[in-house]
Amino acid sequence: LEARLGRLYTAAAAHGIVIRRADYRVAAEPTTPLQRVALALPVQGEFARIHAWLSAALVAMPELALEGISIKRAGSEARATEAELRFVLFVGAGR
């Protein structure tokens, strides 16, 4: 999990995105050897950069799924966007 979060953080920084924190919870995925990790990542940056990072992350990490996204901007003229991204990450149990 630490390595996968590191990949997300590194890719975000490369796209000019600030991840303010990572909240997650881990649960066993019934009838499989997998664990389901629910991630909530509040991020900040320009919308186009958030979109590019999100697209790149989903392509690079097939074990990652976007569950939901909430976007807000201070006003129509504001360049900075705040978003709450909710992901599900599937990892092997004990990894």
Side-chain angles (χ1 to χ4, degrees):
L1 180 59
E2 184 177 323
R4 287 175 174 93
L5 286 176
R7 287 175 63 192
L8 282 174
Y9 272 80
T10 300
H15 282 88
I17 304 303
V18 176
I19 299 177
R20 295 189 312 214
R21 69 179 185 282
D23 297 324
Y24 64 92
R25 64 181 192 283
V26 180
E29 188 67 18
T31 70
T32 73
L34 300 174
Q35 288 184 323
R36 175 187 189 91
V37 181
L39 292 170
L41 298 177
V43 301
Q44 199 169 26
E46 292 181 20
F47 178 77
R49 291 176 176 267
I50 293 171
H51 185 268
W53 166 67
L54 178 58
S55 297
L58 292 172
V59 169
M61 299 177 68
E63 68 276 23
L64 184 69
L66 180 63
E67 190 173 55
I69 185 169
S70 172
I71 301 169
K72 65 181 175 180
R73 197 167 50 166
S76 61
E77 301 299 318
R79 291 185 60 136
T81 302
E82 292 188 18
E84 172 89 14
L85 304 171
R86 291 175 303 284
F87 293 103
V88 175
L89 178 66
F90 294 97
V91 296
R95 291 189 182 174

